[in-house]
Amino acid sequence: MISLSQEFVDSCPVEKGFRLRGLEMTRTEVFVDAAFAFALTLLVISFDAIPGNWEEVILAIKNIPAFIVAVAQLVWIWYEHSVWSKRYGLDDAMTVFLSAILLIVMLVYIYPMRMMAGGMFAWFTNAYLPQPFELETWDQLSGMFIFLGVGFSALCVVFVVLHLYAARRRDELRLSAAELFSTRTAAAIWAGSALVGMASVAAAVILPPAWVPFAGFVYFLIGAWILLFSSWRQKRKPAA
């Protein structure tokens, strides 16, 4: 990687205390955006055909909440990668490799994510909203939570590695002390989120069968983790 000049870095716009070194889209970012658009298309067409009668229209409408949750998570993942790309502007072999791993995990993760979202709404509404798939045993439900947790944790680990790689390139990117601090903070936040995913996996394994659905509530810890850790780190952030 060629080191950025200080003149270029000084000319970059600032957003949330961070110089945006990658405002011009790289080929990697274009490819990632196209892959996310393709994944969004899969969410739309993957489950049901076009409704042929009124009952099927109602069923399609009842599937909207699960679809919204899946799309929101997909957009969140895309947005986080977009922010990373704008901040660091990296487009080397390692960036391509890590972005490819992110896409692979996301495309595998997106289907169980929507299915579990549908199962969650069916559970909350006592089956008024449709269950997208049938499970015959508690072990199968536990297996779905394990698969979901491993996929989510894998996504988080990819973001951890992306931020650690950017921190490793701090000299070439001319990261300030505050930017390096924020980069390492982001890596730690993603690492903590990955641990929450694995905690959900552990809950799905050790909880009694009737309590397995509550393994999904473990993910609410992510909000508390981000809030508390970010507040703690903010007090120690060096001046920009």
Side-chain angles (χ1 to χ4, degrees):
M1 174 182 173
I2 300 175
S3 298
L4 301 179
S5 67
Q6 190 60 53
E7 291 77 14
F8 171 79
V9 173
D10 291 340
S11 68
C12 294
V14 179
E15 184 178 275
K16 297 181 179 179
F18 222 104
R19 293 284 183 184
L20 302 183
R21 296 159 174 80
L23 282 181
E24 294 186 7
M25 293 189 67
T26 64
R27 289 177 62 85
T28 302
E29 192 174 0
V30 171
F31 175 73
V32 170
D33 286 354
F36 273 96
F38 175 70
L40 186 60
T41 303
L42 288 178
L43 281 179
V44 175
I45 67 175
S46 60
F47 275 73
D48 300 303
I50 297 175
N53 53 56
W54 180 247
E55 288 73 18
E56 291 181 359
V57 169
I58 296 300
L59 181 62
I61 293 174
K62 289 182 177 181
N63 277 313
I64 289 177
F67 173 73
I68 291 174
V69 170
V71 170
Q73 293 188 61
L74 186 66
V75 172
W76 170 56
I77 297 167
W78 167 82
Y79 173 77
E80 292 295 338
H81 186 272
S82 176
V83 170
W84 184 89
S85 298
K86 289 179 180 179
R87 286 185 172 183
Y88 307 106
L90 292 168
D91 194 31
D92 54 10
M94 180 59 74
T95 301
V96 173
F97 173 74
L98 292 174
S99 297
I101 296 298
L102 178 67
L103 291 178
I104 291 171
V105 176
M106 180 270 297
L107 289 172
V108 172
Y109 169 72
I110 195 69
Y111 282 122
M113 180 176 66
R114 173 166 174 176
M115 289 188 291
M116 291 300 284
M120 175 187 70
F121 283 111
W123 188 57
F124 283 161
T125 61
N126 196 25
Y128 174 75
L129 296 180
Q131 175 81 3
F133 63 102
E134 296 295 330
L135 294 175
E136 298 178 356
T137 66
W138 289 110
D139 286 340
Q140 291 177 356
L141 179 60
S142 177
M144 287 298 299
F145 273 113
I146 293 171
F147 188 72
L148 189 73
V150 170
F152 176 77
S153 296
L155 282 171
C156 294
V157 168
V158 174
F159 278 108
V160 171
V161 178
L162 281 169
H163 284 88
L164 291 180
Y165 180 66
R168 179 184 171 189
R169 295 289 184 176
R170 58 187 177 275
D171 294 334
E172 294 95 327
L173 294 172
R174 294 186 181 274
L175 297 180
S176 67
E179 289 173 330
L180 180 60
F181 185 88
S182 296
T183 301
R184 289 171 172 166
T185 298
I189 288 175
W190 282 109
S193 299
L195 291 177
V196 171
M198 295 312 298
S200 177
V201 170
V205 172
I206 66 177
L207 286 175
W211 288 79
V212 168
F214 290 95
F217 289 92
V218 174
Y219 290 100
F220 287 109
L221 294 175
I222 293 176
W225 159 250
I226 294 175
L227 178 63
L228 294 176
F229 185 76
S230 298
S231 299
W232 178 74
R233 289 284 284 180
Q234 188 65 33
K235 297 176 182 178
R236 290 156 177 79
K237 185 176 182 178

